[in-house]
Amino acid sequence: MDSKEFFYRLGKTLYKIDGFYTEFAKSGNVKPNLLWIMYALNDGKTHSQKEICDSWDLPRSTVNTIVKELESENIVELVQIKGEKRELNVVLTDDGQKYADRLLKDLYDLEAAAYDKMQSDAEILLNKFEKLAGVLNKEGKE
């Protein structure tokens, strides 16, 4: 296999995986970007909008729009970060945590089942993908 075939097959595979998440979101009548933001917020840690944008490679305007909608629905609240003047953490409210748990439960179950089937290869695969992402991002900036 040469590099062209590798990246062609990799691209198709990544789009199939992304398609799974898109279809999951649509089946729950949720926008895919909302699903990803709720996924990011539901890890038990605090995140700023900037951190969500950078970590998940989502446009700032998209994240800001969705966060404002979630804030108006009492799903999240914006909390001042000590020492920061402009940056705020996006935190799930109690209602937001309940919503996230409902929204993501079936997805977590599907992911757990898939992980169980390939557990022995999962960490190796993830490490390889992370390395590939780093190499591609470095190459693209040179």
Side-chain angles (χ1 to χ4, degrees):
M1 170 180 347
D2 63 9
S3 64
K4 185 174 180 179
E5 181 182 352
F6 171 80
F7 282 102
Y8 182 84
R9 289 176 56 191
L10 176 65
K12 282 176 45 176
T13 302
L14 292 175
Y15 273 98
K16 285 180 182 180
I17 293 169
D18 186 59
F20 162 78
Y21 286 94
T22 298
E23 286 305 311
F24 181 87
K26 288 179 181 179
S27 72
N29 294 317
V30 174
K31 296 175 189 170
N33 286 332
L34 171 61
L35 178 76
W36 287 120
I37 290 170
M38 293 303 295
Y39 197 98
L41 292 173
N42 199 39
D43 69 352
K45 301 174 186 173
T46 57
H47 303 280
S48 68
Q49 286 188 48
K50 180 183 183 316
E51 190 268 327
I52 293 169
C53 294
D54 293 344
S55 295
W56 293 86
D57 203 26
L58 294 169
R60 288 181 189 264
S61 59
T62 300
V63 173
N64 187 57
T65 298
I66 292 172
V67 166
K68 292 296 180 195
E69 290 171 4
L70 292 172
E71 184 182 30
S72 72
E73 296 169 8
N74 195 38
I75 301 294
V76 300
E77 61 183 344
L78 301 176
V79 178
Q80 187 69 44
I81 299 173
K82 287 186 179 183
E84 293 289 330
K85 293 183 180 180
R86 298 178 64 201
E87 196 69 28
L88 302 169
N89 276 327
V90 182
V91 179
L92 291 171
T93 62
D94 289 341
D95 287 343
Q97 187 62 61
K98 291 173 188 169
Y99 173 67
D101 291 342
R102 277 192 320 272
L103 176 67
L104 299 170
K105 182 198 177 313
D106 290 342
L107 178 59
Y108 291 153
D109 290 345
L110 290 167
E111 289 175 334
Y115 181 83
D116 287 345
K117 288 181 180 176
M118 55 182 306
Q119 187 170 0
S120 61
D121 297 323
E123 190 170 339
I124 294 167
L125 181 63
L126 181 59
N127 288 334
K128 297 288 185 186
F129 273 127
E130 289 173 341
K131 183 177 180 180
L132 178 60
V135 169
L136 286 172
N137 281 305
K138 183 179 178 188
E139 290 293 321
K141 292 177 182 172
E142 290 182 354

